[in-house]
Amino acid sequence: MNRSRRFGSRRGVAALEFAFVAPMLVLLLLGGVDVMIWFQNKFRLDNAAGALGNMVAQAETLSLSAFPAAFCSNSAAALNYFAVASQLTDPLVVCGTAGATIVSGIQNDGTTTKVIWQERTGDAGYPSLFGTPGNAASLPKGYTVPNGHSIITTELYSGVTPWKYSLAIMGTPGPSYLYAYSVFEPRSGKLVTPQ
C-alpha cells in the first residue's frame, strides 16, 4: 500500500511538472513554425526580386505599358513586370495596400549617381530605399556604380508579420513587412527610360 501511494504521488508531480513545461513547449513549437514560414517567405521574396531584376535588365527597350501603375494581379495578357512579380511571390502580396513593387533606373553620369526613372505599384507608404527620381541614389554599403554605367534595381515589399501562429503568446506582431531588393546592370549597356 505504501508503494502505491508513492507511485500515485510521483504521477501527480510529473503532471504538475508537465503543466509548467507545456506552455514553453507550445511556444517553441508555434514559434518554430512561424520562423520557418518567415524564412520561406523571405527566400521567396529574395528570389522574386532577383528574377524580376534580371528580366528587366535583359530588356532591349522598356515600354511604359509593361509598368501599369494600378496593376495588382498575378496574370496578364501582355508583358507586365508587376504581374510577373505578383506571380513569383504568390501567395505573398507585393502590390495593392499590402505591398509594393518598385523598379528603378540609376545612372552615374561622371559627377553624381542618381535615380533617372522609377516605376512602382502598390502602397506608397513603402518607400524606395534607393531614392526618388531626379535625386541622388542611396546605394547599399560598399556598392558603387562605375563612371558612365547604369543599374536596374528592383524592390519588393510584402506586408506580412513573422508571428502568425504564436501571436497570442508573443504579444506583438513584430516587423510589419518583408523587404527584398536586387541590383543588375542592363545587358544592352545603356539605361533605357521606359517610354
Side-chain angles (χ1 to χ4, degrees):
M1 202 160 18
N2 197 8
R3 264 188 175 177
S4 67
R5 211 178 280 164
R6 269 195 254 156
F7 182 69
S9 67
R10 284 184 185 166
R11 243 191 301 176
V13 169
L16 185 61
E17 288 174 346
F18 183 75
F20 284 125
V21 173
M24 288 302 289
L25 292 174
V26 170
L27 175 64
L28 286 172
L29 176 68
L30 295 176
V33 169
D34 280 341
V35 168
M36 182 184 72
I37 292 170
W38 180 258
F39 278 115
Q40 183 182 28
N41 288 339
K42 177 65 172 142
F43 183 72
R44 178 180 285 124
L45 213 59
D46 284 338
N47 282 343
L52 180 63
N54 189 31
M55 181 181 281
V56 174
Q58 288 181 39
E60 298 260 337
T61 61
L62 293 173
S63 169
L64 274 176
S65 65
F67 298 101
F71 194 83
C72 189
S73 171
N74 62 4
S75 63
L79 176 62
N80 181 326
Y81 293 117
F82 297 144
V84 170
S86 182
Q87 188 172 19
L88 290 173
T89 59
D90 190 41
L92 297 177
V93 177
V94 291
C95 56
T97 58
T101 300
I102 307 165
V103 181
S104 305
I106 298 172
Q107 186 174 38
N108 180 347
D109 63 6
T111 56
T112 60
T113 301
K114 62 180 169 178
V115 179
I116 303 300
W117 59 268
Q118 188 171 83
E119 299 295 333
R120 66 176 298 142
T121 189
D123 191 342
Y126 295 115
S128 170
L129 298 185
F130 290 98
T132 55
N135 295 314
S138 176
L139 298 172
K141 188 175 180 171
Y143 188 87
T144 58
V145 179
N147 189 6
H149 286 243
S150 306
I151 59 170
I152 301 284
T153 64
T154 59
E155 300 172 89
L156 300 178
Y157 285 94
S158 185
V160 295
T161 59
W163 310 125
K164 180 178 179 180
Y165 297 109
S166 57
L167 179 60
I169 299 168
M170 297 304 287
T172 176
S176 60
Y177 64 86
L178 269 175
Y179 172 77
Y181 73 90
S182 69
V183 177
F184 283 89
E185 192 160 342
R187 305 298 196 277
S188 62
K190 269 193 134 186
L191 181 67
V192 180
T193 304
Q195 298 176 15

